[in-house]
Structures are given as C-alpha cells and as structure tokens.
Amino acid sequence: MSRKRAIIKGTFILTLTGFATRFMGFFYRIFLSHTFGEEGVGLYQLIFPIYALCFSLTSAGIEIALSRCVAKRTTLGQEKEARELLYTSIIFTVIISCITTLLLQKYAWFISSAFLKDERCAELLVILSYAFPFAAVHSCICGYYFGLKMTGVPATSQLIEQVARIMSVYLIYVFGQKNGITFGISIAVAGLIAGEVVSSLFCLRAITGKSMSMRKIRPGLPSFGRNIRELLFLSVPLTGSRVLLNVLQSVEAISIPLKLQAYGMTNKAALSTYGVLTGMALPCIMFPSAITNSISTMLLPTVAEIQALDDQREMSAIIKKVVSCCVLLGSGCCALLLLSGSWIGTFLFQSPAAGSFIVTLAWICPFLYTDNTLISIINGIGKTTLSFVINAIGLLIRIGSVLLLIPVYGIRGYLWGLLASQLCIFLFCIFYLYYYLTIRRKVHRGQTPAGKGV
C-alpha cells in the first residue's frame, strides 16, 4: 500500500471511530448530567487529572516508544523482535500499573483531601485504580499496531471500550432503579474499568488470533533486558513531558473550583460550574476535533519521512494544506456553535450555563483544531522539546487565568485565558514553521551553511 493511500485509509478509520465514540460520549454525558446532576459530574471530572497522570506514568510513554521501535523492526524485516518488544512492554507496564494501583488505593484519601480538596473523591480514586493494569495491556497492543500502521484493531478497541463503558453504567443504573437501590457517580467510574477490561480482552484476542501465541513471542532474559533498556531510553523523556503537562493540567483543574469559591461561589455552586464547563461545554467544543486528531496521528510519520527525503517543496505544501483545512473546519464550527450554542445547552443539557459557555468557547475552534496538527508537524520534524515548551506555555497562560482572572471575573476569566492560550500556541507554531521552512530554503539555495540548520 502506498504512503498516501495508507495515510488516507488510516485517517478515515480513526476519524470514523473518533466521531462514533464522541457521538456516544456526547449523549452519555447528557445521561450523566440528568442522572447525577451538575455537582456529581463535577466530582467525576475532578478525578480525571489523577487518571491522566497515572496513565502517563504507566503507559503513555511506552505506547509511543513501542510504536516507533516496532516500525523500525518491521522495516528491517525483524518481525520476531517486534513481537518480543510487545511482550516486554506488556510485562513492564502491567507491573508498573499494579504498583500504581496499590499506591493510589493507599493514598486515595490523602490525594482527595490535600490535592483535590474534596474527600468524596477518595472512594472514586480507589475504584479508578483497578483500571490501570487493563489500560496498560490495551495501550501496548494499540502501540504495536500503530507501529505496523494498522489502525483497525486500535479503532475497534476504542469503539468497544466506549460501548462497554456506557452500557455497564446504564445497566447498573437500571438494575438499581428496579431494585430500589440508589447509586452515586461512582458507577460512572466503574464504567471506566469495564471499558478497559473489555477492550484489553479484545486486543489480546486480536493478537493471539494472529498466530502469535505468548509462547512464540516470549523473549529470553537477555533480550528482555535489552528491550527494556531500549523502551525506557525512548519512553522516559516522553513520559517526563506527559507527566509535567499533566501536573500543570491537574493544578489547573484543582484550582478552578477553589478560585470560583474565592470569587464568591459556594462549594456546591463552584463544583456545578466546573462540571458544566468540563463535562458539558468542552466535550461539545471538542467533538469535531476527531478529524484533526486522526490527521495528526497519521501526519507525524509522514512529515518525518518527507524530512528524511529532504523534500522542502512537499513539506511546505503539506503544511499549507493542513493549516488551511483545519482553519476552515474551525471557522465553520465556530459559526455553527455561535448560532446554536445556546440551544444545545438549554435543550440537550438542560443547562443555560452550558449554552453560554459553548457560545464563548466557540471562538477558540479555529485555533484549537489547528494547534494539534501544528504540534504534530513540529514533532514530525524532530522538535519534540519545542512542542513540549509550546504546550507548557499555553498551559501556564491558562493557569495564570485561573489564579488571577477567576477571582475577579469568575469563570469568564478562565474562558478568556483559554482563548489566549490557544491563540499563543497557534502563533508560536506558525512563526516557527515559517522560520524553519525559510531557513531550509536558504540552505538549499546555498545562502546558509548546511551546518546551521534549525
């Protein structure tokens, strides 16, 4: 299959899956908001920074490192070594995940009271902890298939995870209703576990169904140690970047309800506002980004290949096409949400506040949908540290708006900061890519010594 055809096929599959899961998730959040109320959704959203942080520590870096290593091995015709890397990564991440599970259970109350500032989250964290070993298996197998440039299994597992999550929560809720049992938002956290369990079992079945029994791919002790070193060499920087970004996001998420109380809201009102923003308005804004996320996933290796070929004309063309398409998509979504945002909030979520947030957040769409692809291009040309710095600057702007603007202007201050951060990321990326392409053109024309690239 040609490179162009593989990109189009992979993007189509991932986009279709992304839309399907977001569509289901959209109505799932409506169900949660109607069933458990805005405060319940706020508590549910409050634990997600911890979820993201633990996942980054246990699986995220390994998944990306495994994908790169597998792609290299298969290119060299070393399929057996690629499968050994998969086995090694599963063992390593499951061990780390089990340790994380035990630690999270032990310190759940401390994390809830000291960091999340709400002791009711302790029970939710204990339940959440059981998801990580299964998420590790799911993540490693998806990383392996991405390395093979085969998106079918990861896409299907994503769909299965979402369906299992929603159906498990709904069935538990119906069971409670029929038997006079009242369940809290904790069943939504249990749904996360159900989704990871079912999707990991599907991925294991896909792997073993490919004539790859665990006996055939089990590496010896020397190769196991060698694989661990290779994976850690690649994954530790990636994990460090993800963890630092998640810490900054956690600070932001924890600070929003606290600063809303400083603005004058009660604890309940602050949690409700936070739940409306993160559980209703933002998912609505993020819905169309399934397209740009899919493009980004397939774009990174394409940009890396074009850079290796040193084809600056094609590099310039693909950047212009991607940026133009994403800005056009974002502008169309902005106009649509400005016109229908109030109706979406009132009719679908039964929350006028959600409608107001959606209308305000609509202005970030042109930048939000483009920034992800721009960051992917920068990663593709090898500037991963720069992409981390740009993302960190955007997050620092958002945290600054939380600490400085929310106490004065309320949640509107944060929305302004969110717009400013996305705009800054967009401008940083555009300016750097313009600089990069200009320098490379000069190098090709002999105007700059070849050793002075960017």
Side-chain angles (χ1 to χ4, degrees):
M1 185 183 295
S2 68
R3 183 178 66 193
K4 181 178 179 180
R5 188 176 176 185
I7 293 171
I8 294 174
K9 181 181 177 181
T11 300
F12 176 76
I13 293 173
L14 293 175
T15 299
L16 195 63
T17 305
F19 270 130
T21 54
R22 285 167 189 264
F23 184 78
M24 289 186 286
F26 184 74
F27 289 99
Y28 177 57
R29 290 184 181 276
I30 295 174
F31 166 74
L32 291 181
S33 65
H34 290 176
T35 305
F36 303 107
E38 294 177 348
E39 186 179 11
V41 174
L43 281 174
Y44 178 64
Q45 292 296 135
L46 206 56
I47 67 170
F48 269 86
I50 305 300
Y51 181 37
L53 179 61
C54 291
F55 180 75
S56 296
L57 283 169
T58 57
S59 305
I62 289 289
E63 178 182 349
I64 299 173
L66 177 64
S67 179
R68 291 179 177 178
C69 292
V70 167
K72 178 182 177 181
R73 292 289 194 280
T74 52
T75 299
L76 298 174
Q78 300 172 348
E79 286 81 8
K80 181 177 180 293
E81 288 78 3
R83 295 194 290 268
E84 288 180 351
L85 278 166
L86 169 63
Y87 187 87
T88 301
S89 66
I90 290 176
I91 293 176
F92 180 75
T93 54
V94 167
I95 292 173
I96 298 298
S97 298
C98 289
I99 295 172
T100 301
T101 295
L102 295 175
L103 290 175
L104 188 57
Q105 290 179 358
K106 183 177 181 180
Y107 296 104
W109 185 87
F110 173 75
I111 294 171
S112 299
S113 58
F115 296 101
L116 302 183
K117 303 298 182 182
D118 197 316
E119 296 177 4
R120 291 175 293 176
C121 291
E123 177 190 0
L124 305 184
L125 291 177
V126 171
I127 299 172
L128 177 68
S129 66
Y130 292 102
F132 297 114
F134 301 100
V137 175
H138 182 197
S139 178
C140 288
I141 296 176
C142 285
Y144 174 79
Y145 276 103
F146 280 130
L148 297 177
K149 296 181 180 178
M150 298 170 61
T151 56
V153 170
T156 305
S157 69
Q158 186 181 350
L159 275 174
I160 289 175
E161 178 187 353
Q162 186 76 311
V163 171
R165 177 188 305 178
I166 295 171
M167 289 303 299
S168 62
V169 173
Y170 179 73
L171 291 175
I172 294 173
Y173 172 74
V174 171
F175 173 81
Q177 289 290 96
K178 289 183 177 180
N179 293 274
I181 303 173
T182 302
F183 292 108
I185 195 65
S186 59
I187 65 171
V189 184
L192 293 173
I193 301 175
E196 292 294 353
V197 170
V198 175
S199 61
S200 63
L201 291 175
F202 166 79
C203 288
L204 284 171
R205 181 66 184 88
I207 284 291
T208 56
K210 204 182 177 195
S211 300
M212 289 168 42
S213 69
M214 300 307 278
R215 181 172 60 238
K216 289 182 180 179
I217 66 173
R218 184 177 293 123
L221 189 60
S223 60
F224 185 87
R226 184 174 61 252
N227 291 339
I228 284 291
R229 288 193 296 271
E230 182 178 2
L231 288 170
L232 288 179
F233 178 77
L234 291 171
S235 66
V236 167
L238 293 167
T239 299
S241 297
R242 290 287 294 269
V243 168
L244 183 55
L245 289 173
N246 279 318
V247 167
L248 292 175
Q249 289 173 333
S250 300
V251 171
E252 176 191 52
I254 294 166
S255 299
I256 289 175
L258 296 177
K259 294 303 176 181
L260 286 172
Q261 292 177 49
Y263 175 66
M265 290 184 172
T266 63
N267 180 45
K268 182 176 181 178
L271 267 179
S272 296
T273 300
Y274 178 70
V276 170
L277 174 64
T278 58
M280 301 177 195
L282 281 175
C284 180
I285 295 293
M286 296 296 294
F287 188 83
S289 65
I291 299 175
T292 54
N293 289 343
S294 301
I295 294 173
S296 299
T297 300
M298 304 305 297
L299 187 63
L300 190 150
T302 303
V303 169
E305 186 175 349
I306 294 172
Q307 185 189 39
L309 296 173
D310 203 19
D311 190 341
Q312 297 308 308
R313 180 175 296 179
E314 187 176 358
M315 179 76 78
S316 179
I318 196 170
I319 291 175
K320 289 178 181 177
K321 288 179 181 177
V322 167
V323 171
S324 299
C325 290
C326 291
V327 170
L328 184 62
L329 172 66
S331 299
C333 291
C334 174
L336 181 64
L337 291 172
L338 285 174
L339 295 173
S340 62
S342 297
W343 176 84
I344 292 173
T346 304
F347 181 76
L348 294 181
F349 291 113
Q350 297 181 358
S351 173
S356 177
F357 294 161
I358 290 170
V359 170
T360 304
L361 289 170
W363 295 104
I364 74 172
C365 290
F367 311 112
L368 179 67
Y369 301 158
T370 310
D371 289 348
N372 199 23
T373 52
L374 289 173
I375 290 293
S376 183
I377 292 170
I378 290 176
N379 284 331
I381 61 178
K383 303 298 180 180
T384 53
T385 302
L386 177 63
S387 68
F388 164 69
V389 171
I390 292 173
N391 279 323
I393 290 172
L395 276 170
L396 289 174
I397 292 173
R398 286 162 54 178
I399 292 173
S401 70
V402 172
L403 301 178
L404 301 177
L405 298 182
I406 288 182
V408 180
Y409 301 102
I411 197 64
R412 293 286 177 185
Y414 174 71
L415 300 182
W416 297 337
L418 194 60
L419 175 59
S421 69
Q422 293 298 326
L423 178 60
C424 284
I425 292 173
F426 177 82
L427 293 176
F428 272 124
C429 291
I430 290 294
F431 287 151
Y432 175 76
L433 290 173
Y434 176 79
Y435 167 76
Y436 171 82
L437 292 173
T438 301
I439 292 297
R440 297 311 303 168
R441 281 196 295 268
K442 289 182 178 179
V443 169
H444 276 267
R445 292 171 185 169
Q447 298 178 12
T448 301
K452 284 190 178 181
V454 289

